[in-house]
Amino acid sequence: MANTIRQDIIKMLLEAGSGHSAGPLDMADIFTVLYFHILHHNPKKPNWSQRDRIVLSCGHICPVRYAAMARAGYFPLKELSTLRKLGSRLQGHPELSKLPGTENTSGPLAQGISVAVGMALAGRLDKKSWRVYAVLSDGEHNEGQLWEAVMFAGKNKLSNLTAIVDRNNIQIDGNTENIMPLEPFADKYRAFGWHVI
């Protein structure tokens, strides 16, 4: 399925004539595991109140989410060819109001983890059993807001939140370690109280 989703991504980007390829291709395995093995969700009821939530912080990798959603049955596969087209629900960054099954509008990097932390805290306060999965890029870890949310989640022991980081070492201006070194990356999360794998 992950390889099928990768093929969908390439076709979508070719049809659109623009878009990001590295992040979506990197994350095909992760989105396959989420949509086909881990998430409690119902494609026929995308806003089901007991669903697990995926918050996409790095919105530019949305082609992988769109392909996984289509393959899971959220919308027809033929709609993938409308990526980034005027009037399409599948824009270059997801829009909450346009596509049922998306949890956040994203574009500005590093804001997604704050949204995910808020959802996880609300879920815990409301005694809900659903989980929140935040998908982040490594490059957005240059943003201070991201670390504030990471600290808040650690302090509040939000065990219903999982952050998944695409550590591909690239961002738009070059290698992450040349732009703003992140290492020791895992140790930073551990220092804020996270369990890191």
Side-chain angles (χ1 to χ4, degrees), residues 53-74:
R53 276 80 168 155
I54 297 179
V55 174
L56 187 58
S57 186
C58 45
H60 60 282
I61 75 161
C62 62
V64 69
R65 183 175 198 168
Y66 297 154
M69 289 176 75
R71 291 286 169 187
Y74 279 84

Side-chain angles (χ1 to χ4, degrees), residues 98-124:
K98 298 241 173 161
L99 186 63
T102 57
E103 303 297 339
N104 64 310
T105 298
S106 59
L109 289 171
Q111 291 184 359
I113 188 66
S114 295
V115 171
V117 164
M119 286 180 176
L121 181 61
R124 186 171 76 192

Side-chain angles (χ1 to χ4, degrees), residues 1 40 53 63 72 112 115 124 137 140 149 170 192-193:
M1 180 56 73
H40 293 98
R53 276 80 168 155
V115 171
R124 186 171 76 192
S137 65
E140 69 185 297
I170 57 173
F192 294 137

Side-chain angles (χ1 to χ4, degrees), residues 16 40 42 71 91 113 117 127 133 154 161 182:
H40 293 98
N42 184 343
R71 291 286 169 187
Q91 288 303 310
I113 188 66
V117 164
K127 297 180 175 36
Y133 297 88
L161 170 66
L182 296 172

Side-chain angles (χ1 to χ4, degrees), residues 137-190:
S137 65
D138 51 3
E140 69 185 297
H141 283 75
N142 295 347
E143 304 268 355
Q145 174 184 321
L146 183 144
W147 292 108
E148 292 176 32
V150 168
M151 286 190 289
F152 184 90
K155 176 199 177 279
N156 289 284
K157 299 183 181 354
L158 296 178
S159 59
N160 59 342
L161 170 66
T162 300
I164 301 168
V165 180
D166 180 12
R167 183 66 169 123
N168 64 9
N169 294 293
I170 57 173
Q171 59 189 84
I172 200 160
D173 292 331
N175 183 286
T176 56
E177 296 312 291
N178 293 333
I179 305 299
M180 182 63 67
L182 296 172
E183 293 301 337
F185 194 41
D187 289 343
K188 289 175 181 167
Y189 269 88
R190 286 186 190 102

